[in-house]
Amino acid sequence: MSEPQDSAADKLAARVASATPEPLARRVRGLSDRAIAWLFISPTIVLLLAINIFPLIWTIYLSFTNYKANRINRPIEFIGLRNYERVLTDTDIWHTLQVTAHFLCWTMTLQVVLGFGLAWLINKQFKGHGLWTTVILLPMMLSPAVVGNFWTFLYQPQIGLFNYAVSFVTGIPPSSFQMIGDVNLAPWAIVIVDTWMWTPYIMLICLAGLRSIPDYIYEAAEVDRASKWRQFWSITLPMVLPFLMLAVLFRSIENFKMFDLVVELTSGGPGSVTELASINLKREAFEKWRTGYSSAFAIILFVTVFGAASIYVKALNKVKQR
Amino acid sequence: MRGVSKHFGEIPAVDHLDLTVGNGEFVVLLGPTGAGKTTTLRLVAGLEKLDAGTISIGGHDMTTADPAVRDVSFVFQQYSLYPHLSVYENLAFPLRSPAHPHSKSEIRRRVTAIAEMLRITHKLDNRATQLSGGEMQRVAIGRAMVREPQIYLMDEPLSSLDAKLRADLRLELKRIQQDLGATLLYVTHDQIEAMTMANRIGVIDQGRLIQVGTPREIYQDPCNLYVASRLGQPAINVIPPGLIPRFAVPPGTASIGARTEHMHISRSVNGSGQGKVEWIEHLGDQNHLHVRIGDHQIITLVDPETPMSRGDDVDIALTGPLFFDAAGNRLRGTGDG
């Protein structure tokens, strides 16, 4: 009695099974889901290997040789650590590192102070603060080449607005000083432009930090008899600090590698007073064609940034956990 | 507080409120959400500027003073701990005010004493964000208690805790208040908190203080229907005067308020009762009895051992219920039951 019913149930099950689609992969090529996943990410991996990982390894290799990229036919000789020795004893290199350090320290100091100050003001939520935020963020959105070009005009001793602004404030004639041409002023010229361009970035991140502090914390502090000054030092600053440190990390790495903006402004001159490490590197590699030597310098720079950033990130995590 | 008013736009949040909190007194402001309780506290603390009236604390006029000079402490509903500081630092924060310096050892002594009182000593080194809700709330209370201000202001400090912890902390808070002899203004919408902790209760509605009195006064002798309905579990039954036959009411009575203790419910003998038992809710130690009389439903407490069951006809007799006129105000007369 029950047999015909069973076979009917079997038929139904078979129909359901045939109507259910197989997993996409098997149906198309007989590939597993994992294989499909590899198929999709492999172009990225290949690209990454080709333009990032391979050049890095190749650079490390070249840094141990006397290779010159403009003399391809010359046999490549392995010279051990000689390039590194030369880089580290070269006074020019130390000079460029000094220039870089000056640039890095001053841009970071100014940008942190100004960025935090601006964020603090914007966070007061005065009328039109949205518009001001947009206006302040504009420099950051411009291309460094444009900014560089733009500021060479502003720094023009005869027609530059910057010189006129300074003369308006201080009373000295505008054509009496040259921001870009003067050996003493040029290092400051690049600091000013970078600060103008990137302060908004620090401000934006500080603003996010400030907005993350709820009002009731300040109310509690007020009832706890903390003055505005104490509220700032014991609440605002410690709570924004992780954000601020993160912004400084990003900006420091970028500014350590600074190239485009400064090349557009001063090309490292006058003399070599604004010759940052990366500008020097480009000269060694593609003007003097000392490929092996510049590879060694590049590796040293990379290790320096990497090491400093790692130490910094450790400190940052400590601040965050506090 | 005299004639204190505060408007947010057109809406009056606090409307001509007069209240005096005596020294060492525990006063609870009771009212539903949006009644203006929190605003009242914030006005006292100086976190909001008042539109009219005066506030004096400890005999000094503080109407326009900054929160810092008022010498009050505040427990916020949402804890408001300093998230980047440890529990110890949170508790020490009010003592570290440069204007009112305390020595290091004094700070340590006070913080550990408070932590012991609130049983959070083992958490002192934790960060404020690594605590459970109950612990955070205890730290918040501790931060208020660590100083000895003129008045402690507490804004529903127990509302976000679970029932058991709330009951524990309720007792603890009352004990601490009595130990310290502290003056407390406490805001809640929970009638049990109000009844158990307060020396006096102020019932507040739409920014107006309706009645102030001891818990017993407020419960037994409410001045209007609103106050009567705020207190009592289950809520007071409001019935029209004609519903219970053979029960005389004072002239002008529009409704009768009857609590459990005002009613005597018995199974009708001859099957001609006025009401019918509709439902019995078992709560464990007691039962809620839902009785239908005409279109009205009455909820009352009965013994869990009650012989009544669903569908029974019952007789209802009233003894000394409360009478209210058409505007909801209390009529001070006695009916006869």
Side-chain angles (χ1 to χ4, degrees), chain B residues 165-201:
Chain B
L165 200 58
R166 201 172 343 166
D168 288 353
L169 273 179
R170 208 164 61 209
L171 287 173
E172 229 165 290
L173 207 55
K174 182 66 185 168
R175 178 177 60 78
I176 293 168
Q177 186 260 337
Q178 278 173 344
D179 289 355
L180 297 177
T183 311
L184 242 124
L185 184 57
Y186 185 105
V187 152
T188 184
H189 62 260
D190 183 321
Q191 49 164 312
I192 299 173
E193 281 177 26
M195 292 296 282
T196 52
M197 294 195 289
N199 297 123
R200 281 193 302 150
I201 295 177

Short mmCIF file of all heavy atoms in Angstrom, two decimals, chain B residues 165-201:
data_model
loop_
_atom_site.label_atom_id
_atom_site.label_comp_id
_atom_site.label_asym_id
_atom_site.label_seq_id
_atom_site.Cartn_x
_atom_site.Cartn_y
_atom_site.Cartn_z
N LEU B 165 20.00 44.89 40.56
CA LEU B 165 21.01 45.87 40.91
C LEU B 165 20.37 47.16 41.37
O LEU B 165 20.83 47.82 42.30
CB LEU B 165 21.88 46.13 39.68
CG LEU B 165 23.24 46.73 39.94
CD1 LEU B 165 24.03 45.85 40.86
CD2 LEU B 165 23.96 46.90 38.63
N ARG B 166 19.25 47.50 40.72
CA ARG B 166 18.55 48.72 41.08
C ARG B 166 18.08 48.64 42.53
O ARG B 166 18.23 49.57 43.30
CB ARG B 166 17.36 48.91 40.15
CG ARG B 166 16.89 50.32 40.11
CD ARG B 166 15.85 50.56 39.05
NE ARG B 166 15.81 49.50 38.05
CZ ARG B 166 14.82 49.35 37.19
NH1 ARG B 166 13.80 50.17 37.22
NH2 ARG B 166 14.83 48.38 36.31
N ALA B 167 17.53 47.47 42.89
CA ALA B 167 17.04 47.29 44.26
C ALA B 167 18.19 47.39 45.25
O ALA B 167 18.08 48.06 46.29
CB ALA B 167 16.33 45.95 44.38
N ASP B 168 19.34 46.76 44.91
CA ASP B 168 20.51 46.81 45.79
C ASP B 168 21.00 48.24 46.00
O ASP B 168 21.21 48.68 47.12
CB ASP B 168 21.68 45.99 45.19
CG ASP B 168 21.40 44.50 45.26
OD1 ASP B 168 20.38 44.15 45.91
OD2 ASP B 168 22.17 43.73 44.68
N LEU B 169 21.17 48.93 44.86
CA LEU B 169 21.73 50.28 44.94
C LEU B 169 20.78 51.25 45.62
O LEU B 169 21.22 52.20 46.26
CB LEU B 169 22.09 50.78 43.54
CG LEU B 169 23.47 50.40 43.05
CD1 LEU B 169 23.70 50.92 41.65
CD2 LEU B 169 24.56 50.96 43.97
N ARG B 170 19.48 50.98 45.47
CA ARG B 170 18.48 51.82 46.12
C ARG B 170 18.71 51.81 47.63
O ARG B 170 18.76 52.85 48.27
CB ARG B 170 17.10 51.23 45.79
CG ARG B 170 15.99 52.21 45.79
CD ARG B 170 14.81 51.63 45.09
NE ARG B 170 14.33 50.42 45.75
CZ ARG B 170 13.71 49.42 45.13
NH1 ARG B 170 13.50 49.49 43.83
NH2 ARG B 170 13.30 48.37 45.77
N LEU B 171 18.86 50.60 48.16
CA LEU B 171 19.10 50.48 49.60
C LEU B 171 20.42 51.11 49.99
O LEU B 171 20.52 51.84 50.98
CB LEU B 171 19.12 49.00 49.99
CG LEU B 171 17.75 48.32 49.98
CD1 LEU B 171 17.92 46.82 50.20
CD2 LEU B 171 16.87 48.92 51.07
N GLU B 172 21.44 50.85 49.16
CA GLU B 172 22.78 51.35 49.46
C GLU B 172 22.80 52.88 49.48
O GLU B 172 23.37 53.49 50.38
CB GLU B 172 23.74 50.87 48.36
CG GLU B 172 25.00 50.25 48.89
CD GLU B 172 25.70 49.49 47.80
OE1 GLU B 172 25.20 48.43 47.37
OE2 GLU B 172 26.74 49.97 47.36
N LEU B 173 22.12 53.45 48.49
CA LEU B 173 22.09 54.90 48.37
C LEU B 173 21.43 55.53 49.59
O LEU B 173 21.90 56.51 50.14
CB LEU B 173 21.31 55.25 47.10
CG LEU B 173 21.63 56.55 46.42
CD1 LEU B 173 23.11 56.64 46.10
CD2 LEU B 173 20.82 56.66 45.14
N LYS B 174 20.33 54.92 50.00
CA LYS B 174 19.60 55.43 51.17
C LYS B 174 20.48 55.33 52.42
O LYS B 174 20.55 56.25 53.23
CB LYS B 174 18.30 54.64 51.35
CG LYS B 174 17.44 55.12 52.49
CD LYS B 174 16.89 56.51 52.23
CE LYS B 174 16.13 57.06 53.43
NZ LYS B 174 15.85 58.48 53.29
N ARG B 175 21.19 54.20 52.52
CA ARG B 175 22.06 53.98 53.67
C ARG B 175 23.17 55.03 53.69
O ARG B 175 23.44 55.65 54.72
CB ARG B 175 22.66 52.57 53.58
CG ARG B 175 23.63 52.21 54.69
CD ARG B 175 24.10 50.77 54.57
NE ARG B 175 24.80 50.49 53.31
CZ ARG B 175 26.06 50.84 53.06
NH1 ARG B 175 26.77 51.47 53.96
NH2 ARG B 175 26.62 50.55 51.91
N ILE B 176 23.81 55.23 52.52
CA ILE B 176 24.90 56.19 52.44
C ILE B 176 24.40 57.59 52.79
O ILE B 176 25.04 58.34 53.53
CB ILE B 176 25.52 56.18 51.03
CG1 ILE B 176 26.20 54.84 50.77
CG2 ILE B 176 26.51 57.32 50.86
CD1 ILE B 176 26.58 54.63 49.33
N GLN B 177 23.22 57.91 52.27
CA GLN B 177 22.67 59.25 52.52
C GLN B 177 22.47 59.46 54.02
O GLN B 177 22.78 60.51 54.57
CB GLN B 177 21.36 59.42 51.77
CG GLN B 177 20.76 60.81 51.84
CD GLN B 177 19.65 60.92 52.86
OE1 GLN B 177 19.02 59.92 53.20
NE2 GLN B 177 19.40 62.13 53.34
N GLN B 178 21.96 58.41 54.67
CA GLN B 178 21.73 58.53 56.11
C GLN B 178 23.04 58.62 56.88
O GLN B 178 23.17 59.39 57.82
CB GLN B 178 20.87 57.38 56.61
CG GLN B 178 19.40 57.66 56.35
CD GLN B 178 18.51 56.48 56.68
OE1 GLN B 178 19.00 55.35 56.81
NE2 GLN B 178 17.23 56.73 56.78
N ASP B 179 24.03 57.79 56.45
CA ASP B 179 25.34 57.82 57.11
C ASP B 179 25.98 59.19 57.02
O ASP B 179 26.55 59.69 57.98
CB ASP B 179 26.28 56.79 56.47
CG ASP B 179 25.86 55.37 56.82
OD1 ASP B 179 24.92 55.23 57.63
OD2 ASP B 179 26.46 54.42 56.28
N LEU B 180 25.91 59.79 55.82
CA LEU B 180 26.59 61.07 55.62
C LEU B 180 25.74 62.25 56.06
O LEU B 180 26.24 63.36 56.15
CB LEU B 180 26.93 61.25 54.13
CG LEU B 180 27.90 60.26 53.49
CD1 LEU B 180 28.03 60.57 52.01
CD2 LEU B 180 29.26 60.33 54.15
N GLY B 181 24.45 62.00 56.28
CA GLY B 181 23.55 63.11 56.56
C GLY B 181 23.47 64.08 55.40
O GLY B 181 23.36 65.29 55.57
N ALA B 182 23.53 63.52 54.19
CA ALA B 182 23.64 64.36 53.00
C ALA B 182 22.28 64.91 52.57
O ALA B 182 21.25 64.30 52.81
CB ALA B 182 24.24 63.55 51.86
N THR B 183 22.34 66.05 51.91
CA THR B 183 21.16 66.65 51.31
C THR B 183 21.09 66.20 49.85
O THR B 183 22.06 66.34 49.12
CB THR B 183 21.23 68.19 51.36
OG1 THR B 183 21.58 68.56 52.68
CG2 THR B 183 19.94 68.81 50.95
N LEU B 184 19.94 65.67 49.47
CA LEU B 184 19.86 65.07 48.15
C LEU B 184 18.60 65.52 47.42
O LEU B 184 17.51 65.53 48.00
CB LEU B 184 19.79 63.55 48.30
CG LEU B 184 20.92 62.75 47.68
CD1 LEU B 184 21.56 61.89 48.73
CD2 LEU B 184 20.37 61.92 46.57
N LEU B 185 18.76 65.91 46.17
CA LEU B 185 17.61 66.13 45.31
C LEU B 185 17.72 65.10 44.20
O LEU B 185 18.69 65.07 43.45
CB LEU B 185 17.62 67.56 44.74
CG LEU B 185 16.41 67.96 43.90
CD1 LEU B 185 15.12 67.79 44.67
CD2 LEU B 185 16.55 69.41 43.44
N TYR B 186 16.70 64.25 44.12
CA TYR B 186 16.80 63.05 43.32
C TYR B 186 15.62 63.02 42.36
O TYR B 186 14.49 63.29 42.76
CB TYR B 186 16.75 61.86 44.28
CG TYR B 186 16.96 60.48 43.69
CD1 TYR B 186 18.15 59.81 43.87
CD2 TYR B 186 15.94 59.84 43.01
CE1 TYR B 186 18.34 58.54 43.37
CE2 TYR B 186 16.12 58.56 42.49
CZ TYR B 186 17.32 57.92 42.68
OH TYR B 186 17.50 56.66 42.18
N VAL B 187 15.89 62.70 41.12
CA VAL B 187 14.84 62.71 40.11
C VAL B 187 14.60 61.30 39.61
O VAL B 187 15.55 60.55 39.36
CB VAL B 187 15.28 63.62 38.94
CG1 VAL B 187 14.65 63.19 37.64
CG2 VAL B 187 14.94 65.06 39.24
N THR B 188 13.35 60.91 39.50
CA THR B 188 13.06 59.58 38.99
C THR B 188 11.65 59.53 38.43
O THR B 188 10.82 60.39 38.70
CB THR B 188 13.22 58.51 40.09
OG1 THR B 188 13.02 57.23 39.52
CG2 THR B 188 12.21 58.71 41.20
N HIS B 189 11.39 58.51 37.62
CA HIS B 189 10.01 58.26 37.21
C HIS B 189 9.52 56.97 37.86
O HIS B 189 8.43 56.50 37.58
CB HIS B 189 9.89 58.19 35.69
CG HIS B 189 10.68 57.07 35.08
ND1 HIS B 189 11.91 57.27 34.50
CD2 HIS B 189 10.44 55.76 35.00
CE1 HIS B 189 12.38 56.11 34.08
NE2 HIS B 189 11.52 55.17 34.38
N ASP B 190 10.36 56.42 38.72
CA ASP B 190 10.05 55.13 39.32
C ASP B 190 9.44 55.36 40.71
O ASP B 190 10.10 55.86 41.62
CB ASP B 190 11.35 54.33 39.41
CG ASP B 190 11.12 52.93 39.96
OD1 ASP B 190 10.30 52.76 40.89
OD2 ASP B 190 11.77 52.01 39.47
N GLN B 191 8.17 54.99 40.86
CA GLN B 191 7.49 55.29 42.12
C GLN B 191 8.06 54.50 43.28
O GLN B 191 8.06 54.99 44.42
CB GLN B 191 6.00 55.01 41.98
CG GLN B 191 5.70 53.66 41.38
CD GLN B 191 4.26 53.27 41.62
OE1 GLN B 191 3.77 53.37 42.74
NE2 GLN B 191 3.58 52.84 40.58
N ILE B 192 8.63 53.32 42.99
CA ILE B 192 9.18 52.54 44.10
C ILE B 192 10.42 53.23 44.67
O ILE B 192 10.58 53.36 45.88
CB ILE B 192 9.51 51.11 43.64
CG1 ILE B 192 8.24 50.43 43.15
CG2 ILE B 192 10.14 50.31 44.77
CD1 ILE B 192 8.45 49.09 42.52
N GLU B 193 11.28 53.73 43.77
CA GLU B 193 12.45 54.49 44.23
C GLU B 193 12.00 55.67 45.07
O GLU B 193 12.56 55.94 46.14
CB GLU B 193 13.26 55.01 43.04
CG GLU B 193 14.14 53.97 42.40
CD GLU B 193 14.87 54.51 41.17
OE1 GLU B 193 15.09 55.72 41.08
OE2 GLU B 193 15.21 53.69 40.30
N ALA B 194 10.98 56.38 44.58
CA ALA B 194 10.50 57.56 45.30
C ALA B 194 9.97 57.17 46.67
O ALA B 194 10.33 57.77 47.68
CB ALA B 194 9.42 58.25 44.48
N MET B 195 9.14 56.15 46.71
CA MET B 195 8.50 55.76 47.96
C MET B 195 9.53 55.27 48.99
O MET B 195 9.42 55.55 50.17
CB MET B 195 7.47 54.65 47.71
CG MET B 195 6.26 55.07 46.92
SD MET B 195 5.26 56.31 47.74
CE MET B 195 4.38 55.31 48.93
N THR B 196 10.51 54.49 48.51
CA THR B 196 11.41 53.85 49.47
C THR B 196 12.49 54.78 49.99
O THR B 196 12.96 54.62 51.10
CB THR B 196 12.09 52.61 48.86
OG1 THR B 196 12.69 52.99 47.62
CG2 THR B 196 11.10 51.50 48.63
N MET B 197 12.92 55.74 49.18
CA MET B 197 14.10 56.51 49.58
C MET B 197 13.77 57.89 50.12
O MET B 197 14.53 58.43 50.93
CB MET B 197 15.06 56.65 48.39
CG MET B 197 15.66 55.33 47.97
SD MET B 197 17.07 55.54 46.89
CE MET B 197 16.29 56.11 45.42
N ALA B 198 12.67 58.47 49.70
CA ALA B 198 12.46 59.90 49.94
C ALA B 198 12.05 60.20 51.37
O ALA B 198 11.35 59.41 52.01
CB ALA B 198 11.41 60.43 48.98
N ASN B 199 12.52 61.37 51.88
CA ASN B 199 11.88 61.97 53.04
C ASN B 199 10.62 62.69 52.58
O ASN B 199 9.60 62.64 53.23
CB ASN B 199 12.80 62.98 53.72
CG ASN B 199 14.07 62.33 54.26
OD1 ASN B 199 15.16 62.71 53.91
ND2 ASN B 199 13.89 61.32 55.09
N ARG B 200 10.79 63.38 51.46
CA ARG B 200 9.64 64.03 50.85
C ARG B 200 9.65 63.78 49.35
O ARG B 200 10.71 63.69 48.74
CB ARG B 200 9.67 65.54 51.11
CG ARG B 200 9.21 65.90 52.50
CD ARG B 200 8.96 67.38 52.61
NE ARG B 200 10.15 68.15 52.29
CZ ARG B 200 10.10 69.38 51.74
NH1 ARG B 200 8.96 69.95 51.47
NH2 ARG B 200 11.22 70.02 51.50
N ILE B 201 8.43 63.70 48.78
CA ILE B 201 8.31 63.50 47.34
C ILE B 201 7.67 64.75 46.75
O ILE B 201 6.73 65.29 47.33
CB ILE B 201 7.42 62.28 47.02
CG1 ILE B 201 8.08 60.99 47.50
CG2 ILE B 201 7.13 62.17 45.52
CD1 ILE B 201 7.24 59.76 47.28
#
